[in-house]
Amino acid sequence: MHRFTFHLCVLAAALTAWTSTARAATSAELVDLQMRSQPVRLVGVADGYVSFFDEARNLRQRSLDRLLAIRMVNDPSTDDSASGAEAKPTPADSTRRQEQLQRHIADFEAVLAELERTAAANADAGPDADLDASPSGFHPMRAAAYLGDGQILRGHLVDVINDGQTLVWLNAKVGRLNVPIDAIRLLDFGASAEGEGVVLPLGDSDGVVFRNGDRLDGFVQGFDAAGVNFTPASSNQPMTLPWAECQRVELGTGWKLPEHGDYLLRLADGSRVLCASASFMQEQWLFTPVLAAAPSPACELPAKEVEQLDIYAGGRVMAELWQLPLERGASQAFGLTTPVQADAASLRMQAPLRWSLSLPAGARLLWMRGEVDANAAGDAAKWIDF
């Protein structure tokens, strides 16, 4: 009885606060459990429900439990602002809407204060941002971190705490995050740090790739201001590898289900952040990262800064191909051994090649799309077949 009454209240609030026009909504797509997409005008996300205008401009509401993701469509051509005059809300509608907005003012003010603090510390977090050294003597560096639970963090590595077992990350959009070493799959200080693609490790061992191209396999024990605390497999003698010489640090962290977080927020800068909460209102996303350095208020971002919200309801998560264990078959491509490469969006391989993916326990749906690499050099694309 209480649940039914609560749903009526939520729907009534949506009807009074959001019925002014579809113009105030944001273009988006709802992805259902069968991975089918529905174009909508997104109005709000809160309390386990999404409110939206459908293609017939009817205000609808749907439980997040019935969706895999909400994909933002940041296309200026879909803006209704030039389509004509909009219907003006009644005085009663305006009063109710103002009451609803006031309930969020305190949260938004806290978020703005945090963003101002972050901006002052990071100076826009651009590639040439000049961040001061931490009290521990750590000098911040631009980097990207890929975690075993699907998170991707771009920005700056700014400190090492907890005896070298936790890295402190700073992202201008998200703030400071504390990242435990056992959650990290790859640290990259090269192209990926600047927003470009990166080949992810498919193995389960630790290793360091140096800026001159050399590689050293072994065991990563931790980090400090001087560099990576590393024990080579060949000598078993602990050493410290200077940060300035490291291009990539690979850790044998495979795919694992997120232990915390109900949402994965995909940001326009390429970051993917697990969140304990996420809501959308007035073309703004409000969310709380699970790795946020405490105490930390919720983060706020405009719609254009977010690409997609993955919904991990009822323990359901989505894993991408690059996150899964992959085994390459014995066959070779044209007599040559060609490795399978992975990035945050796809697997790339030279045909003919046999390979297998190990799906997590409880996997219910596998969706794949194959296509020829149009950017292959020379006539290589002509030799690719499925």
Side-chain angles (χ1 to χ4, degrees):
M1 180 63 185
H2 294 292
R3 182 177 180 83
F4 181 71
T5 302
F6 174 74
H7 289 175
L8 286 179
C9 292
V10 172
L11 182 57
L15 288 173
T16 57
W18 291 323
T19 53
S20 60
T21 179
R23 176 183 177 277
T26 304
S27 296
E29 293 179 350
L30 305 183
V31 183
D32 66 15
L33 301 183
Q34 286 71 46
M35 304 194 80
R36 298 172 300 197
S37 299
Q38 175 189 1
V40 301
R41 298 289 285 177
L42 183 63
V43 175
V45 176
D47 301 321
Y49 285 83
V50 54
S51 300
F52 59 94
F53 289 98
D54 61 18
E55 292 181 292
R57 288 180 173 265
N58 296 316
L59 181 62
R60 304 291 188 185
Q61 192 175 52
R62 184 176 299 176
S63 172
L64 294 180
D65 291 343
R66 299 170 58 188
L67 299 175
L68 285 176
I70 299 174
R71 185 178 300 128
M72 308 302 292
V73 181
N74 295 314
D75 183 1
S77 64
T78 62
D79 189 359
D80 292 338
S81 59
S83 61
E86 62 176 275
K88 296 183 179 180
T90 66
D93 289 338
S94 299
T95 300
R96 295 188 185 96
R97 184 168 181 165
Q98 183 65 27
E99 292 174 350
Q100 185 181 36
L101 292 176
Q102 286 177 347
R103 292 196 295 266
H104 295 272
I105 289 177
D107 287 338
F108 288 165
E109 288 180 344
V111 168
L112 290 175
E114 172 65 13
L115 292 178
E116 289 175 356
R117 185 194 66 78
T118 300
N122 198 23
D124 295 334
D128 300 322
D130 184 16
L131 302 179
D132 295 333
S134 69
S136 65
F138 188 95
H139 291 274
M141 63 190 76
R142 194 160 183 81
Y146 294 77
L147 310 190
D149 58 10
Q151 296 190 80
I152 301 175
L153 308 178
R154 300 190 187 279
H156 287 81
L157 174 59
V158 297
D159 203 359
V160 177
I161 59 176
N162 296 336
D163 296 325
Q165 299 304 299
T166 301
L167 301 180
V168 180
W169 220 265
L170 177 62
N171 180 289
K173 309 298 182 182
V174 181
R176 290 177 180 264
L177 304 175
N178 291 340
V179 186
I181 185 175
D182 58 3
I184 300 171
R185 187 172 182 179
L186 169 68
L187 294 177
D188 188 84
F189 304 98
S192 177
E194 302 299 332
E196 301 179 18
V198 63
V199 177
L200 298 174
L202 297 174
D204 56 1
S205 60
D206 294 357
V208 175
V209 178
F210 297 95
R211 295 191 181 276
N212 64 3
D214 292 342
R215 178 186 176 89
L216 187 62
D217 292 319
F219 177 70
V220 176
Q221 297 172 300
F223 308 97
D224 58 28
V228 182
N229 300 324
F230 192 80
T231 300
S234 57
S235 66
N236 289 326
Q237 294 295 323
M239 61 179 61
T240 298
L241 306 177
W243 288 112
E245 298 180 9
C246 298
Q247 180 85 2
R248 294 161 55 100
V249 180
E250 302 175 0
L251 295 98
T253 302
W255 159 251
K256 59 182 180 181
L257 295 176
E259 298 179 0
H260 306 285
D262 296 321
Y263 308 95
L264 181 72
L265 204 63
R266 302 172 184 242
L267 306 185
D269 70 352
S271 297
R272 301 180 183 182
V273 183
L274 271 176
C275 302
S277 64
S279 60
F280 181 81
M281 184 180 180
Q282 296 295 296
E283 301 186 9
Q284 296 283 329
W285 284 100
L286 191 68
F287 58 96
T288 305
V290 297
L291 295 178
S296 178
C299 301
E300 181 187 7
L301 284 178
K304 65 180 181 180
E305 298 287 353
V306 175
E307 293 184 345
Q308 182 168 310
L309 177 73
D310 293 348
I311 302 165
Y312 292 174
R316 180 185 66 242
V317 300
M318 287 194 296
E320 297 184 79
L321 296 183
W322 65 268
Q323 296 174 287
L324 304 178
L326 182 144
E327 295 183 5
R328 190 172 66 87
S331 61
Q332 295 181 323
F334 309 111
L336 301 175
T337 301
T338 56
V340 177
Q341 295 182 330
D343 58 28
S346 62
L347 294 173
R348 300 189 301 276
M349 60 197 69
Q350 183 75 39
L353 184 68
R354 292 185 302 175
W355 50 275
S356 63
L357 284 170
S358 298
L359 301 182
R364 298 176 57 187
L365 178 66
L366 175 64
W367 184 85
M368 302 174 64
R369 181 182 66 196
E371 59 185 28
V372 171
D373 184 4
N375 297 319
D379 294 332
K382 298 179 181 179
W383 294 95
I384 298 176
D385 195 10
F386 291 93

